[in-house]
Amino acid sequence: MDQLTATPIPDTTHGNRRRTLATTGVNHALHDGYTDLIYVLLPIWQNEFALGYGALALMRALYAGAMAGLQIPAGRLAERIDGKIVLVIGTVLSALGYGLAGLSGSAIGLCLALLLSGAGSSTQHPLASAAVSRAYGAAAKGPLGIYNFTGDLGKAAIPALLSLLLIIMPWRHALLVLALAGTAVAIYIAAAMPPIGKTRAGRPVAAASSTGTTNSGFTLLFTIGILDTAVRMGLLTFLPFLLQAKGASLPTSGLALTLVFIGGAAGKFVCGWLGERVGTLRTILLTEGGTAACILAVLVLPLAGTMMLLPLLGVMLNGTSSVLYGTVPELAPGRTERAFALFYTGTIGSGAIAPILYGVLGDALGPTAATMATAITAMAICPLAFILAPHLTRARV
């Protein structure tokens, strides 16, 4: 990969930093909310279009695949065009996709609309993360944690909003309303967000290329991100079954997942700040060690004790992600868009594949053994964090 150098952006005032964080946060909430809207819509589409579960899974995969697969091209496009413009266009396309879904009269039309919406959402993670990173520079870990947290707010708020809209109008009209909301967000970004700038191919940075530190350090961070996502998705796959074995009813299982998600949102917010103050290594060791301990506790505690533990489990499960995202710019100086695009592609791909792998293990050994495997995976991250530490700025280890 060619080393990139950022086009200078002179305006880095406190007000513009806050505007960058605010606009990217709103955009993150919108796109993550759009991503999870599908779970509300799948039963409706199944009834209206007489679809099987395989077809429904394909629809979800089309959106996720377009979003994951086009992140790297989106990062490359930002080398030629101001990233803000790409971000606005992506948000418009994502909103347009849901608008077309509301107008579609067939399953094929829905699939094409979801492809378009997923393609639009591919711009959001790499470019918005890079924008926050550039705005805050060396102090970006905490703001990136806040940015990460806003995605969880969108996952909670926008599907809930759709559920309310479905009470008073047909699903097609509800999607048009949400498409208009997405268009309004795109206009807000265009009007309020400071320019991100663009990157261009340049001469290799000697300090990074001569030692190989940046490349090997980023590879380690990338590996940790993939494993961390695998732990989270693997555990969430088995958690309802573990609770059911403890005597939990369906509503109790739903409450349990809500407690995990609330803790996860708090973990994303807090651990970005924590990584900035106590360092990447200590934060990873705390969250991954805590994750493994909480998973093992879930296996042995009775239902009441497990329910009390779940918010803390959520904090540990999701907390690592914020400090990892905050470390990407440090290990990829001058090529932030590409690095974030690659990092998010890997973690999203891990989130899709890991439940399948742990599911196969669960079929072979049972859910308890598969859940223990997620704890072992979490602990395996700790030695990788020690190997990563020499690649980090000493003050932030």
Side-chain angles (χ1 to χ4, degrees), residues 26-39:
V26 170
N27 200 42
H28 194 190
L30 173 77
H31 283 278
D32 275 21
Y34 272 180
T35 301
D36 281 10
L37 277 184
I38 297 175
Y39 296 117

Side-chain angles (χ1 to χ4, degrees), residues 242-244 246-249 252 256 301-310:
L242 296 174
L243 295 171
Q244 185 179 27
K246 296 176 186 287
S249 63
T252 301
L301 285 174
L303 180 59
T306 298
M307 295 293 287
M308 294 176 62
L309 183 67
L310 289 179

Side-chain angles (χ1 to χ4, degrees), residues 205-234:
V205 177
S209 61
S210 63
T211 63
T213 296
T214 299
N215 290 335
S216 58
F218 180 78
T219 300
L220 282 166
L221 189 76
F222 182 70
T223 302
I224 291 172
I226 288 174
L227 293 177
D228 176 64
T229 303
V231 171
R232 182 164 56 255
M233 297 305 181

Side-chain angles (χ1 to χ4, degrees), residues 4-61:
L4 304 176
T5 55
T7 302
I9 302 177
D11 197 352
T12 58
T13 63
H14 180 68
N16 280 315
R17 288 179 173 183
R18 291 175 64 88
R19 282 196 292 137
T20 296
L21 183 58
T23 50
T24 55
V26 170
N27 200 42
H28 194 190
L30 173 77
H31 283 278
D32 275 21
Y34 272 180
T35 301
D36 281 10
L37 277 184
I38 297 175
Y39 296 117
V40 180
L41 292 164
L42 288 180
I44 299 172
W45 291 341
Q46 183 183 43
N47 291 331
E48 179 147 346
F49 297 102
L51 300 174
Y53 291 109
L56 295 173
L58 174 63
M59 286 183 172
R60 178 68 182 87

Side-chain angles (χ1 to χ4, degrees), residues 78-215:
E79 297 168 15
R80 302 175 180 274
I81 306 172
D82 189 322
K84 173 183 172 179
I85 297 174
V86 180
L87 200 59
V88 170
I89 292 173
T91 302
V92 170
L93 290 177
S94 196
L96 178 62
Y98 269 109
L100 292 175
L103 298 173
S104 64
S106 67
I108 294 176
L110 282 178
C111 289
L112 294 175
L114 290 174
L115 273 173
L116 179 63
S117 190
S121 286
S122 70
T123 63
Q124 193 276 133
H125 282 120
L127 303 189
S129 298
V132 174
S133 172
R134 288 193 191 181
Y136 285 87
K141 278 192 175 70
L144 280 169
I146 296 172
Y147 160 79
N148 202 13
F149 166 73
T150 60
D152 284 72
L153 294 181
K155 290 178 181 180
I158 293 182
L161 175 60
L162 175 62
S163 298
L164 292 175
L165 291 174
L166 291 174
I167 297 173
I168 60 176
M169 64 181 69
W171 69 269
R172 296 178 183 276
H173 295 170
L175 288 189
L176 292 175
V177 170
L178 291 175
L180 289 174
T183 304
V185 169
I187 294 171
Y188 166 62
I189 296 168
M193 185 174 179
I196 299 175
K198 60 183 179 179
T199 56
R200 56 180 174 83
R203 295 174 59 86
V205 177
S209 61
S210 63
T211 63
T213 296
T214 299
N215 290 335

